[in-house]
Amino acid sequence: MPEFHFDGEKYRASSAPMRSWGRSALSDLAFSGDERVVDLGCGSGELASEMADRVPQGKVLGLDANESMIRAAREKHQKPNLSFAVSDIRELALLNEVDLFFSNATLHWIKEHDRLLAALYRGLAPGGRARLSFAGRGNCPHFFAIVKDISAAAPFAPAFAGFVWPWYTPGPEEYREKVSRLPFSSARVWEETISQDFPEEKALLGWLDQPALVPFQTHLAKRAPELSAGFRKQAAERMTQVSRQADGSFRETFIRIHALLVK
């Protein structure tokens, strides 16, 4: 996974929409109370903490590749059956010991989903579940078009030569085919379209800064730091213009791929 710098506290402040989507995904699941749960890409830990409340005789481990996220999670959420660790979730080495893998708004940051799905299958106990939700094809059409346009134009284009698009966003058919390569006893993959309203400009810009613009700002910090502020300014101005609604809110369309897999 590319090393992008996320700020755990800023992410917590701007991630209310993502937490709402995660709670919706959790609503699909019944808990017996003693499950062993791993939250993949736990961010600042809110959903992992909520799951810990639902498995009082079980345990929840939140994993994230970013140290700032894990630091924020540990500072905010302290429960006897809840722990957090810095980990590249592509390197999972668990074997037949997890009752639930949960992941919300994270897995589009990972390109190697064949490898990831194989690791999830190995890690699940018999009858264990994986509940995944991440960005799919057509996600954030306003934002994606804007950053592609800005990065291809002067003065930014030379700095973005060789830039690798950071997200994997498949359609449901493509993801079903990937899942089908593994012998899950049950597998369901579906797509959801969410028209997300940000109530004010501050909320939209918070989401832009953490996490949407992070890959571009990280790249510019290495290649042309003097362009970073200008890139952010153009992206913010154009995003507010194109997403503004009549009532003063701001709207973007999020496409989610959902999967519920059972070993």
Side-chain angles (χ1 to χ4, degrees), residues 93-104:
L94 303 170
L95 184 63
N96 300 325
E97 57 189 287
V98 177
D99 298 306
L100 173 65
F101 282 115
F102 180 81
S103 186
N104 175 63

Side-chain angles (χ1 to χ4, degrees), residues 1-3 63-65 85-92 110 115:
M1 187 184 301
E3 290 298 322
L63 301 179
D64 203 285
V86 177
S87 175
D88 184 338
I89 61 179
R90 298 172 306 175
E91 305 296 336
L92 286 172
I110 293 176
R115 177 181 172 188

Side-chain angles (χ1 to χ4, degrees), residues 135-226:
R137 183 181 60 212
N139 188 59
C140 293
H142 294 318
F143 174 71
F144 281 11
I146 286 168
V147 291
K148 287 178 179 179
D149 188 48
I150 296 173
S151 61
F156 307 103
F160 278 98
F163 177 73
V164 177
W165 189 250
W167 298 294
Y168 169 63
T169 53
E173 303 86 357
E174 176 183 342
Y175 210 68
R176 287 188 193 106
E177 196 278 327
K178 283 188 180 297
V179 168
S180 72
R181 300 171 192 171
L182 290 155
F184 289 105
S185 66
S186 173
R188 185 163 71 98
V189 175
W190 68 102
E191 183 182 73
E192 179 185 19
T193 299
I194 301 172
S195 292
Q196 179 64 48
D197 286 338
F198 297 87
E200 57 187 2
E201 185 173 327
K202 180 181 178 181
L204 174 68
L205 297 182
W207 169 76
L208 281 178
D209 286 333
Q210 291 283 336
L213 284 173
V214 167
F216 305 91
Q217 297 295 63
T218 300
H219 182 81
L220 287 175
K222 297 175 181 177
R223 296 286 297 274
E226 70 279 4

